[in-house]
Structures are given as C-alpha cells and as structure tokens.
Amino acid sequence: MSYKWLKWLILWIPTIVIGLWEYARHAFLLPYVSMELGNLLAPIFVFLITLTLVRSLFAKLEVMQESLKRQQVVKAAFEEREQLARELHDGISQSLFMLSVKLDKLDRSELDEDASRTMEGIRHTVRHVYDDVRQSLANLQSSPLPSDSTWLQSIHKFISDMEQGSDIQATVDSRLHEGLLTHKQKIELLAIIREALMNVQKHADASRVLIHAEHVGSLNVPSPSFVCTIVDDGKGIELEKLQAQGKYGVKMMSERAKAMGWHLLLLPGDQGGVKVEIKGG
C-alpha cells in the first residue's frame, strides 16, 4: 500500500464508519435502539471501530515515514560525499598541475633569486593541497548534517572547531525558522558557509566574522525566500583577484548555489573585508 493511500484511508475511515453506523441504525436498529441511546452509542462505536482499523494504519504510516526519512538522509549524505569527492579530485588535479609547472620553472632557473621565488611558490602550493585534502577528509569523516542535529548546531560546531585553530572570533545571528529549509538545502547552505569561513581563515587575515541569516517576505509560500551573509573584517581584496585566488573555494560555492537555484554575490564588506551573500527562494 502506498503512502498516499494510507493517508487517504486514515482520513476517510472515520467518515465511512459513522456513515455506515447511521445507515444501519435508521434502517435496521431504530425499532430496538432509541434515538437517545443511539446518539450515546454512536461516538463509542465509531471510536472503537476507528481505533481498531486506524491504529494499524498509523503504525504502517510511521514505518513508511521512518523509511523515507532514512532514504532521504542516505541520499543527501551520498550526494554530499559525491560532491566532496569531485571537489577533492578537481582541487588536487589543478594544484598538482601548477606544482609540475613550477617544478619545470625551477629546473630552468639559472639565478638563485628566481629559484628561491619558485621554491616559495611550490611550498605555497603544497600547503594549499595539504589544507584542501585535510579539510575534505574531515568533511568526509563527519556527517554533513546529522539527522538529530539542527542547522544552527552544525554551524556552531564548525565554528568551534575553526576558532580552536585560529584567532578568528565568529558570531552567528540566525533568524531562520528551523523548518524553513529542506534537509538538502541545509546541507548545501552549510557547505557554502563552511567554504566561506575556510577562505576567511586562509586568506582574509581577519579577527572577526559574522554569519547572518534571515527569511525574506512571507513564509506561507511553497519556497520561502532567505538571505544569508558571511562578512569578515579582514584586509579585503579586489573581487577579480578573489575569484582567481579562490578558484577552488569560490567556484565551489558558486556551483553549489547555482545548483540550488540560489544567487551568490561577492561584495566589499562594510569594514573593509569581504561579504559573501546567498539569496535563496
């Protein structure tokens, strides 16, 4: 029996039972059962019959809901890991290509000064690969959004881990209702926020970062709108250079937002840093 049919049966069984009872009472039982007694017995009879039939349907409905929930969690986790695997592959491939180019340049260098600059570039690339691999492996080892954890709890956990490894103080100001976003949307938005915070940690030289999220307009629509911003007080950078420097992170955030039908903007921050803005809905 399908999920849809179960819901319809649960809805219609009380109506059908009361209809059959009233028909039987007026057609066959009226000479034996008075109107007052019939009115008294009607809710008791309907309750007992409905309880007997509907209870088993509710049990089946709960089993189906749990099964659907598990399937959604597994599917979301699989999609997240597939995305992480693709990002890890692309990031390492590009970084190793750049590393090979710099090694070729080092091999052709004739001056110690040129060799020293090339070696520093190689070290930077290796560190970049190491950071990307370490973060990606950490993401793979942990659930992207545990089913028993709220969206805010997942953000605070990531921020706590980030603050332990840096001097950046992060503040979260979320006014999003917990049920506003679907599980998939929460996973994608959390991944974008993580990547934005990683960019702040790596490149911004910031001391503070603010994550702000709120819904926009009415909630009584199929897909409510929201705005989420990540703003740091770092040194800032020209947006064209940020696109080039963050070719992994920024590209990743943009692709995630585009896949969800969201708009992602990179703007100058109010205090000189960078502002990442995600508009959804």
Side-chain angles (χ1 to χ4, degrees), residues 50-266:
T50 302
L51 180 64
T52 303
L53 296 175
V54 174
R55 185 170 57 180
S56 62
L57 293 179
F58 268 122
K60 291 181 180 179
L61 185 64
E62 290 175 359
V63 171
M64 293 183 71
Q65 287 176 332
E66 287 297 323
S67 177
L68 287 172
K69 184 178 179 180
R70 286 195 298 270
Q71 290 177 12
Q72 290 172 351
V73 171
V74 170
K75 181 180 178 182
F78 176 78
E79 290 176 350
E80 174 69 7
R81 278 152 178 74
E82 187 178 51
Q83 177 70 18
L84 283 171
R86 184 165 59 251
E87 292 161 2
L88 186 61
H89 174 269
D90 293 343
I92 290 178
S93 297
Q94 295 181 38
S95 295
L96 291 179
F97 173 75
M98 292 301 300
L99 190 60
S100 67
V101 170
K102 290 173 182 178
L103 286 171
D104 291 339
K105 183 178 179 181
L106 177 63
D107 189 52
R108 294 193 302 267
S109 297
E110 297 179 358
L111 300 176
D112 291 341
E113 185 177 349
D114 291 339
S116 178
R117 283 198 299 267
T118 304
M119 283 296 298
E120 182 58 33
I122 291 173
R123 292 191 186 95
H124 176 77
T125 301
V126 171
R127 285 195 297 268
H128 188 91
V129 173
Y130 172 73
D131 290 339
D132 283 347
V133 171
R134 185 178 62 176
Q135 183 59 46
S136 296
L137 290 176
N139 291 339
L140 284 169
Q141 290 170 354
S142 61
S143 173
L145 186 62
S147 58
D148 60 346
S149 174
T150 67
W151 184 71
L152 272 179
Q153 286 173 338
S154 300
I155 292 178
H156 282 297
K157 182 179 185 306
F158 181 80
I159 286 175
S160 176
D161 294 339
M162 182 190 74
E163 289 179 338
Q164 290 178 4
S166 67
D167 297 327
I168 301 174
Q169 296 296 315
T171 303
V172 180
D173 177 21
S174 176
R175 302 173 190 177
L176 284 178
H177 295 283
E178 184 63 29
L180 179 67
L181 303 178
T182 66
H183 190 78
K184 172 67 173 174
Q185 289 173 327
K186 291 176 184 178
I187 288 176
E188 294 300 325
L189 184 56
L190 180 61
I192 293 174
I193 293 173
R194 281 175 173 172
E195 189 58 45
L197 292 175
M198 286 172 57
N199 285 340
V200 171
Q201 189 175 8
K202 289 179 182 179
H203 309 300
D205 193 23
S207 59
R208 299 188 64 83
V209 60
L210 170 65
I211 301 101
H212 176 78
E214 62 180 353
H215 73 270
V216 179
S218 175
L219 293 176
N220 298 320
V221 293
S223 181
S225 300
F226 71 92
V227 174
C228 180
T229 57
I230 304 97
V231 188
D232 66 77
D233 64 349
K235 59 187 178 182
I237 191 171
E238 295 180 18
L239 297 183
E240 293 80 5
K241 292 183 178 179
L242 181 63
Q243 292 280 358
Q245 177 179 335
K247 55 187 174 183
Y248 311 125
V250 174
K251 179 182 177 183
M252 238 161 41
M253 291 190 295
S254 299
E255 288 179 350
R256 284 182 182 274
K258 184 178 179 180
M260 297 301 299
W262 300 339
H263 299 285
L264 186 141
L265 299 173
L266 298 174

